[in-house]
Amino acid sequence: MTVPDTGVRVEPGSFRDPGNRVFHRGREVLRGLDERAARDWRALAASDLFRDLTAAGHLVGTEELTPTPVDAPWAAVLRHDRIPFVSHPYEWSYAMLRDAALLHLDLLRAALEAGFTTKDGSAYNVQWHGARPVFIDVGSFEALRDGEPWAGYRQFCQTFLYPLLIQAHLGLDFQPFLRARVDGVEADQMRRLFAGTRRWHAGVPTHVHLHGAMQARNSAASTTDVRAQLRAAGFSRELALATVRGLTRLVRRLDHRPGDSHWSDYQRTCAYSVPDRQAKEAFVDRAAAAVGPGAALDLGANDGRYARIAARHAAHVVAVEQDPAVVDTLYRTLRDEGERRILPLVMDLADPSPGGGWRGVERAAFADRARADVVLALAVVHHLAIGRNVPLPEVLDQLAAFTEPGGSLVVEFVHPDDPMARRLLANKPDGLFPDYRRDAFEALLARRGPVVARAELPSGTRTLYQVVVGG
């Protein structure tokens, strides 16, 4: 399917299904459908399934544009509700991936019962409204044809189930595995990881070893041949539903909770006094209120204390934290509260998500997605500049790049004599950071925009600044 030059921007990650193409027109998110996909969409749109899933918030809000724009080369054009921030599965915590998997399975079960199925099972089909997952690939639904297996099973295993098994059974963070390959974890890799006695862990015999053996056996056969064999063997909707129910039981059983980490108790063990914390909270509240509704980005969010303050004023907040265990705890809390404005993500700011997939743009880099009207960089600069040896000017360049022109950067400078800075400097050679000084920091900050507010914390070893970037 080709896209004419009409001033729209094609979504780089939308090309794998030739019957669907997502594109952007201004801030609108649109989807073009070919004849077959349009028939499937209209059948779905007329069903109780679509109305129920949309009303429950499980499926992204969608409407067909009628009449179809005359310059569109598609049989139908849909308009979707805009997702506040597009994230990738390797930026989620364990509980987030698990909840997204359960949503996917719940939608598939409901679809099968209503006479539909989904073409794929990718974790990238799920996005978030705060701590609530939402399925976005409306074009994935199609009419169910008896005798055919679920086409998305392999994708589901590679992008959902296998990462969950890796963390639940082996105690390894799944994020590096998903970040390494856009298509997820292969069955062959899983079979090597789950050899010996590990092969008997829950879910592994069927979905790793048997699945891998079947893939190897059918590798020479065409998809049509395999489907014909399944039809001849009597594969039915009931068997497909049984498979989905079995996967759902397995994923629910894999409720792994990451253990404690250095950062999971940071708010209790850090150097902040009660007066420091109160002053800091008041400063953040004033800065966020001054900017008003819009997007906020909390870098180094930890337990989400300041993300919550920003959410009092912002339309939505992306709360970034390096430690997966901390993000997992924060997500579970936000989910249980029904929070819809704060999205927690796992991210190492010294090694943020790069562009990936086809031509390096199928999955956009974090730096290309993250722009906010208010950026909070609290107790972050010293960890990057001293702990990770990132030059101080480059730290501020990146923080400013995250901030929309005219937006506010709220940044904390931890003085060299602060206990945390001294601890970091103690592990470095003497004289390695001669420019890590308050006067040098303020001079660099002034180049990014005017400082409109400043506050010394009562301890005397930390200073907060609000800068209007580009102002």
Side-chain angles (χ1 to χ4, degrees), residues 74-129:
W74 304 285
V77 175
L78 311 181
R79 178 165 52 209
H80 299 305
D81 290 348
R82 189 175 186 86
I83 299 297
F85 185 85
V86 174
S87 61
H88 303 323
Y90 43 84
E91 298 165 351
W92 303 347
S93 75
Y94 182 89
M96 293 175 74
L97 186 69
R98 178 176 173 270
D99 284 352
L102 290 171
L103 172 69
H104 211 302
L105 292 170
D106 287 346
L107 263 65
L108 177 58
R109 176 192 50 75
L112 291 169
E113 291 172 349
F116 296 90
T117 187
T118 56
K119 299 175 186 177
D120 44 29
S122 173
Y124 294 93
N125 288 344
V126 178
Q127 287 298 325
W128 300 85
H129 282 297

Side-chain angles (χ1 to χ4, degrees), residues 8-81:
V8 301
R9 180 174 63 85
V10 177
E11 171 56 50
S14 173
F15 63 86
R16 297 203 179 202
D17 181 351
N20 283 260
R21 198 68 191 262
V22 174
F23 58 100
H24 305 268
R25 185 176 64 188
R27 289 189 58 79
E28 290 184 309
V29 181
L30 307 178
R31 181 187 299 268
L33 306 175
D34 67 9
E35 291 284 354
R36 178 175 175 177
R39 287 195 300 271
D40 286 331
W41 150 252
R42 286 167 181 150
L44 175 69
S47 69
D48 291 338
L49 173 69
F50 177 76
R51 288 188 290 273
D52 292 345
L53 294 178
T54 303
H58 299 321
L59 185 64
V60 66
T62 304
E63 61 179 353
E64 183 173 349
L65 297 183
T66 55
T68 301
V70 294
D71 57 352
W74 304 285
V77 175
L78 311 181
R79 178 165 52 209
H80 299 305
D81 290 348

Side-chain angles (χ1 to χ4, degrees), residues 231-254:
R231 280 195 297 270
F235 192 88
S236 63
R237 174 165 58 176
E238 287 67 33
L239 285 175
L241 280 166
T243 299
V244 173
R245 286 193 290 268
L247 282 168
T248 301
R249 287 193 298 271
L250 172 61
V251 172
R252 290 191 183 283
R253 183 177 174 184
L254 298 173

Side-chain angles (χ1 to χ4, degrees), residues 61-240:
T62 304
E63 61 179 353
E64 183 173 349
L65 297 183
T66 55
T68 301
V70 294
D71 57 352
W74 304 285
V77 175
L78 311 181
R79 178 165 52 209
H80 299 305
D81 290 348
R82 189 175 186 86
I83 299 297
F85 185 85
V86 174
S87 61
H88 303 323
Y90 43 84
E91 298 165 351
W92 303 347
S93 75
Y94 182 89
M96 293 175 74
L97 186 69
R98 178 176 173 270
D99 284 352
L102 290 171
L103 172 69
H104 211 302
L105 292 170
D106 287 346
L107 263 65
L108 177 58
R109 176 192 50 75
L112 291 169
E113 291 172 349
F116 296 90
T117 187
T118 56
K119 299 175 186 177
D120 44 29
S122 173
Y124 294 93
N125 288 344
V126 178
Q127 287 298 325
W128 300 85
H129 282 297
R132 182 184 68 189
V134 57
F135 191 85
I136 63 168
D137 192 5
V138 172
S140 179
F141 290 91
E142 64 178 355
L144 177 65
R145 291 179 289 276
D146 239 9
E148 292 194 3
W150 177 34
Y153 172 67
R154 179 177 178 178
Q155 272 189 327
F156 183 87
C157 288
Q158 291 181 183
T159 62
F160 277 122
L161 182 59
Y162 291 169
L164 292 173
L165 291 173
I166 286 171
Q167 187 150 353
H169 293 325
L170 303 183
L172 301 175
D173 290 332
F174 71 84
Q175 291 86 1
F177 290 87
L178 277 183
R179 176 169 156 170
R181 291 179 57 92
V182 71
D183 292 326
V185 186
E186 297 283 351
D188 282 349
Q189 184 180 14
M190 289 291 291
R191 291 168 79 179
R192 292 193 292 272
L193 287 171
F194 286 90
T197 57
R198 291 176 176 173
R199 69 182 295 122
W200 304 115
H201 287 312
V204 173
T206 299
H207 300 291
V208 174
H209 290 285
L210 180 59
H211 180 207
M214 291 180 66
Q215 279 187 256
R217 187 184 69 188
N218 294 321
S219 60
S222 69
T223 303
T224 304
D225 291 340
V226 173
R227 289 177 176 173
Q229 292 171 16
L230 287 165
R231 280 195 297 270
F235 192 88
S236 63
R237 174 165 58 176
E238 287 67 33
L239 285 175

Side-chain angles (χ1 to χ4, degrees), residues 325-409:
V326 174
V327 176
D328 202 66
T329 299
L330 175 58
Y331 167 72
R332 290 173 188 264
T333 302
L334 296 172
R335 177 195 63 190
D336 294 345
E337 293 173 355
E339 177 60 61
R340 298 291 181 263
R341 288 172 300 164
I342 302 175
L343 171 65
L345 295 179
V346 179
M347 185 79 58
D348 180 357
L349 293 173
D351 182 23
S353 301
W358 174 243
R359 301 179 72 181
V361 295
E362 184 179 356
R363 305 297 174 216
F366 180 72
D368 294 331
R369 288 174 281 136
R371 295 287 187 280
D373 303 291
V374 177
V375 174
L376 306 181
L378 307 170
V380 164
V381 169
H382 60 301
H383 287 294
L384 293 173
I386 302 175
R388 304 297 287 273
N389 287 40
V390 180
L392 194 55
E394 294 193 26
V395 173
L396 289 176
D397 282 344
Q398 183 59 78
L399 297 180
F402 285 137
T403 312
E404 293 281 10
S408 283
L409 169 62

